[in-house]
Amino acid sequence: EETFRTRREADHRLHAIEADKLRGGWLDPRRAARPFGEICEEWLASNPAKRDSTVARDRSTLDVHILPTLGRTPVGSVTPRAIQMLVKGWTTAPVTTRRNFGMLRAVLNYAVECDVIARSPARGVKLPTVEQKKHRIIDADELAALAEALGPEHAPMAYLGALLGFRWGEVAALRVGRVDFWPG
């Protein structure tokens, strides 16, 4: 409930709420009073297509990095500054920090989509930079030496990975009966 010093301030607020309602932008403030942790639980359950391993990883990230700080906070009270301080306090590698923040942002976007809050407070948060790893590309002689070192049983795996761009899991899962040698 809001209180105002003057009737004019109250009327001004009422007109602003009515204008928001007409634009479809008004949200019931009681919804924003829900704990952030409750929104997280809804978000976790909202995607039935997620694999169990993904749900377990998300649960762990929430439990370790996000909920201890924000779990009981009303979702409408979460501010960009609070999120920035949370991110700054994480002592994880930059890649992990960015992944954790991505999950936090996803939960807040879910709250926006469900009309719990009007805007995500995750906007404008500064994240640590991730240094790009320099990948060394081997030449033909080095590939031949690698294949020879792997031996005749595993040499084709090196060639499949290097020449066709297959990842290790794709090469390991490949079976002769599943290869179409005569496309067309």
Side-chain angles (χ1 to χ4, degrees):
E1 225 176 85
E2 295 179 71
T3 57
F4 303 93
R5 291 182 319 191
T6 66
R7 170 71 183 229
R8 184 175 182 180
E9 286 178 4
D11 286 341
H12 181 68
R13 177 69 176 133
L14 178 62
H15 293 308
I17 289 172
E18 292 300 324
D20 283 346
K21 285 181 180 179
L22 289 172
R23 285 191 299 267
W26 183 81
L27 299 176
D28 186 348
R30 292 174 293 194
R31 298 183 84 179
R34 295 173 56 205
F36 180 79
E38 190 177 298
I39 304 300
C40 289
E41 295 304 322
E42 282 183 22
W43 173 78
L44 268 178
S46 70
N47 186 352
K50 266 190 188 179
R51 293 183 302 195
D52 291 341
S53 60
T54 304
V55 172
R57 185 196 67 216
D58 291 350
R59 162 63 56 207
S60 175
T61 299
L62 287 169
D63 289 346
V64 173
H65 299 288
I66 298 170
L67 291 177
T69 304
L70 297 177
R72 293 188 173 145
T73 304
V75 69
S77 298
V78 176
T79 64
R81 186 174 191 291
I83 293 174
Q84 185 68 68
M85 296 309 291
L86 175 65
V87 169
K88 189 176 180 181
W90 287 337
T91 57
T92 56
V95 170
T96 305
T97 297
R98 285 178 167 269
R99 187 178 328 117
N100 294 347
F101 174 75
M103 182 179 304
L104 174 60
R105 184 180 54 219
V107 171
L108 291 166
N109 287 341
Y110 173 80
V112 171
E113 290 168 13
C114 293
D115 292 331
V116 175
I117 56 176
R119 282 179 66 180
S120 171
R123 63 194 182 281
V125 172
K126 310 273 187 293
L127 298 173
T129 57
V130 176
E131 291 185 27
Q132 295 295 323
K133 293 180 182 177
K134 298 207 181 211
H135 297 284
R136 187 174 167 285
I137 299 174
I138 62 174
D139 61 26
D141 293 334
E142 292 170 317
L143 177 59
L146 173 64
E148 186 177 327
L150 289 173
E153 187 176 333
H154 299 292
M157 297 174 94
Y159 287 110
L160 285 170
L163 300 177
L164 298 178
F166 285 12
R167 295 174 293 206
W168 162 248
E170 294 167 331
V171 171
L174 194 60
R175 301 289 176 256
V176 173
R178 304 294 299 163
V179 178
D180 182 2
F181 289 101
W182 308 107

